[in-house]
Amino acid sequence: MDRPDHVLIVDDDRELRELLVAYLGKNGFRVTAAADGQQMRAALAAGAIDLIVLDLMLPGTDGLVLCRDLRATQTPQIPILMLTARSDEADRIVGLEMGADDYLTKPFAARELLARIRAVLRRTRMLPPSFRAAETTRGLAFGDWVLDTAARHLLDASGTMVSLSGAEYRLLRVFLDHPQRVLSREQLLNLTQGRELDVFDRSIDLLVSRLRQRLRDDAHDPRYIKTVRSEGYVFSATVEPREHVR
């Protein structure tokens, strides 16, 4: 029997933590709760976590800093769903820039959080079939980079590893599987995040910006990800499969 997915709830609201632990537990998840960054780190050290629900406003180290630190130094592949206040549009944008895979505004219905968690886990584990390359290839080489599809990180020309968040990896895989093809923002959002584009949704543009930074790509004169005005983005480099990576 497969083990249940393990969700870590990080929120300083005790009543909300207890509600979510009970609700997610009834829906088949194993749930651990933490009130702050210190408890979060202890939970991560204690056992495998499949997804983190991370509140933005925490005592001590806030959620944005914790998200950034997780992406930079620890478990960069664990998906993060960030909880934000309803009016904090800027914080939601910064959260996505820091590496959050999705966000949900407070107050929210528990069933909506459940749906978001399931969607994030589902898209973290697989790309849509029409956009999935054969996984017999360990590496995908382009320009000065090689993507290790097993470890899900980048290697530059000197062999230095560059970590990717789950969302960054999924976006890069979509581009690498379909080079020289213009992909609209709607397509990219649906393929990487499993939801429709809202007229004010900037998450794909932010994710592209983050990925360009990882690739050291000049946004004003990009070598890899080019913007196609009024249409979307195109990955312009040649992609070559490799059986082995350094």
Side-chain angles (χ1 to χ4, degrees), residues 16-44:
L16 180 61
R17 290 199 309 271
E18 293 176 352
L19 183 153
L20 294 179
V21 167
Y23 183 80
L24 294 175
K26 289 178 181 178
N27 282 276
F29 290 91
R30 178 186 171 193
V31 189
T32 297
D36 54 30
Q38 183 177 356
Q39 292 183 15
M40 180 195 76
R41 294 185 185 94
L44 287 169

Side-chain angles (χ1 to χ4, degrees), residues 40-41 54-56 58 60-73 82 94-95 98:
M40 180 195 76
R41 294 185 185 94
L54 179 61
D55 186 35
L56 179 73
L58 290 171
T61 308
D62 68 29
L64 289 176
V65 174
L66 291 174
C67 183
R68 181 195 64 196
D69 290 349
L70 285 168
R71 288 298 180 236
T73 61
M82 185 163 282
V94 174
M98 291 293 184

